[in-house]
Amino acid sequence: MKTTSFKDEADKENPHGVSVKKLYDTEHAQVMHIELKPGESLKKHSTPVDAFFYILEGEGIVEIGGEQEKASKDMIIESPAKIPHRLMNESDSTFRFLVVKVPRQTEQTRLL
C-alpha cells in the first residue's frame, strides 16, 4: 500500500506562483493539490486533456470558458480539454482543491 499526504510533499514549480503538490501520477491519471491563499489565483490556461476540480476547503471562483461560478467544499467541477479556465480566491480564507487529469497529460499531449 502506498499513502501520500499533501503536507509531506514539496511544492512543484509552476507558472502560477502558488502552492501545487503532485499527489498521484500514473500513466492513467494525475492528481495535483493546489492551495490558493486569499487574493491568489491561477492564470487562465487550458489543458489538452479533460480535468475536474474537487474542492477540499474554502470558497473560490471557477471560470471555465466564459462562465464563472462560486465553488465551495465538496463540489466537483468539470473542465473539458482545450477550454481556457482558472480558479481564483477572492475570500479571506484558504481555498484548497484537487485537480484530476484523466487521461494523464503526457509530453505529447502537452504539445497539442
Side-chain angles (χ1 to χ4, degrees):
M1 175 187 318
K2 180 181 178 186
T3 62
T4 304
S5 171
F6 82 92
K7 293 177 182 179
D8 297 332
E9 297 300 312
D11 279 337
K12 183 178 182 308
E13 190 173 322
N14 63 85
H16 308 282
V18 300
S19 174
V20 176
K21 299 172 188 276
K22 187 185 297 184
L23 300 183
Y24 181 81
D25 193 10
T26 70
E27 64 181 287
H28 302 290
Q30 185 177 64
V31 179
M32 307 300 273
H33 174 278
I34 299 181
E35 178 177 301
L36 298 179
K37 295 179 180 136
E40 290 185 330
S41 66
L42 299 182
K43 296 177 181 182
K44 191 179 280 191
H45 65 286
S46 61
T47 57
V49 297
D50 291 333
F52 68 84
F53 312 112
Y54 179 75
I55 311 306
L56 299 168
E57 177 184 357
E59 289 187 349
I61 305 295
V62 178
E63 181 180 312
I64 299 174
E67 297 180 76
Q68 281 192 4
E69 188 170 318
K70 187 176 277 190
S72 57
K73 185 177 178 177
D74 294 332
M75 289 178 73
I76 289 179
I77 301 98
E78 295 180 28
S79 182
K82 302 177 186 164
I83 304 295
H85 60 273
R86 66 181 173 152
L87 288 88
M88 303 165 278
N89 184 357
E90 297 177 351
S91 76
D92 294 331
S93 60
T94 300
F95 181 41
R96 292 188 314 116
F97 54 94
L98 298 178
V99 179
V100 180
K101 295 178 182 176
V102 180
R104 180 188 181 278
Q105 182 173 308
T106 64
E107 282 301 317
Q108 289 177 322
T109 58
R110 197 173 283 131
L111 298 174
L112 297 176

